[in-house]
């Protein structure tokens, strides 16, 4: 935006990187660029930053609530799925707890996990959260915490709930996180694992681009041929 002859291209915000990943390039389009243009570009770039956040979470605990008829294989699949998601950041679950699907039992498990040193608590309810008065948000508040945001404009992942007990993030995990497919939970998990404060407003801004389509379906074509979505 200084001049068409000088370009800076960076990865999208919150892209996942590992050591050695190229995060940005700086190039000139023509073979030569006037010195005044280069000076203006350098002056503009001096006020810009590209930060890379590293994982801050060390002890993430999963709590699963159980109803009559809840199958152990479903609980085990959930644990394995969240372990894989954390492994992306070089982490793993430091513990897993199970309790009845009621607020007092879940409150005790949340408080116990934090007292034992957890710096993140993930809750997978036996029943999906329906509103802010449901079992999981009520348990967070009963444990002395606050519910920060419920719902997100990302599909799959609509039923994510974020809360906090003191400085410890507590997340109600949507059911889609049981599968290996990308979903909105991944977007919030990555930020919080790296110590990036994620407010309700941040989540609300995820709507543009929030429809996550299975890559296997992107190759399908309609009779009308390919089209682009224009967003205003």
């Amino acid at each position: 935006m200084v001049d068409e002859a000088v370009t800076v291209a960076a990865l999208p915000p919150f892209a996942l990187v590992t050591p050695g990943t190229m995060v940005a390039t700086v190039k000139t389009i023509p073979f030569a660029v006037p010195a005044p243009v280069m000076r203006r570009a350098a002056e503009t770039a001096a006020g810009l930053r590209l930060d890379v956040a590293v994982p801050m979470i060390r002890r993430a605990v999963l709590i699963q609530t159980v109803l009559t008829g809840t199958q152990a294989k479903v609980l085990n699949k959930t644990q394995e799925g969240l372990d894989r998601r954390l492994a992306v950041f070089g982490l793993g679950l430091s513990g897993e707890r199970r309790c009845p699907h009621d607020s007092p039992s879940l409150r005790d498990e949340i408080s116990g996990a934090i007292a034992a040193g957890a710096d993140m608590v993930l809750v997978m309810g036996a029943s999906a959260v329906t509103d802010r008065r449901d079992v999981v948000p009520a348990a967070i508040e009963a444990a002395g915490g606050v519910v920060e945001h419920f719902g997100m404009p990302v599909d799959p992942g609509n039923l994510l709930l974020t809360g906090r007990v003191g400085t410890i993030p507590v997340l109600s995990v949507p059911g889609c996180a049981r599968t290996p497919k990308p979903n909105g939970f991944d977007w919030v998990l990555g930020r919080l694992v790296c110590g990036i404060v994620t407010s309700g407003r941040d989540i609300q801004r995820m709507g543009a681009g929030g429809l996550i389509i299975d890559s296997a379906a992107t190759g399908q074509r309609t009779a009308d041929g390919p089209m682009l979505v224009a967003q205003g």
Side-chain angles (χ1 to χ4, degrees):
M1 300 181 95
V2 172
D3 190 278
E4 65 181 26
V6 184
T7 68
V8 178
L11 292 178
F14 306 107
L16 185 65
V17 298
T18 57
T21 300
M22 182 183 297
V23 297
T25 62
V26 181
K27 295 182 178 180
T28 61
I29 302 302
F31 289 115
V33 177
V37 171
M38 292 301 295
R39 282 195 295 271
R40 291 202 306 274
E43 290 167 358
T44 301
L48 304 178
R49 287 172 38 141
L50 195 155
D51 294 324
V52 178
V54 299
M56 305 294 290
I57 297 296
R58 290 293 175 260
R59 293 179 55 83
V61 172
L62 169 64
I63 302 173
Q64 301 196 71
T65 65
V66 179
L67 290 169
T68 302
T70 301
Q71 298 182 356
K73 64 180 182 181
V74 174
L75 300 175
N76 295 337
K77 180 180 179 181
T78 301
Q79 183 177 359
E80 293 167 2
L82 291 177
D83 249 331
R84 284 195 300 269
R85 282 184 152 81
L86 289 169
V88 172
F89 304 97
L91 307 172
L93 289 171
S94 62
E96 190 243 3
R97 299 163 174 246
R98 298 177 183 181
C99 69
H101 186 71
D102 62 70
S103 294
S105 298
L106 181 55
R107 173 204 60 204
D108 293 344
E109 291 296 338
I110 292 173
S111 298
I114 294 173
D119 49 15
M120 172 180 282
V121 177
L122 307 175
V123 179
M124 177 63 82
S127 178
V129 177
T130 57
D131 57 40
R132 282 175 170 262
R133 296 171 296 177
D134 211 333
V135 168
V136 178
I140 293 173
E141 292 179 343
V146 294
V147 174
E148 296 182 323
H149 192 76
F150 174 50
M152 70 183 311
V154 180
D155 192 2
N158 295 142
L159 297 181
L160 176 77
L161 181 143
T162 63
R164 196 169 291 273
V165 176
T167 61
I168 308 301
V170 182
L171 301 180
S172 178
V173 182
C176 58
R178 290 191 176 98
T179 75
K181 296 181 179 180
N183 56 74
F185 171 68
D186 296 316
W187 295 7
V188 174
L189 177 67
R191 295 191 193 194
L192 294 180
V193 163
C194 292
I196 300 173
V197 176
T198 306
S199 67
R201 196 64 173 166
D202 293 325
I203 294 173
Q204 290 171 328
R205 291 191 179 107
M206 294 178 182
L211 178 58
I212 304 175
I213 300 177
D214 187 349
S215 59
T218 58
Q220 297 178 356
R221 300 178 63 148
T222 66
D224 296 328
M227 294 172 281
L228 291 175
V229 174
Q231 296 179 332

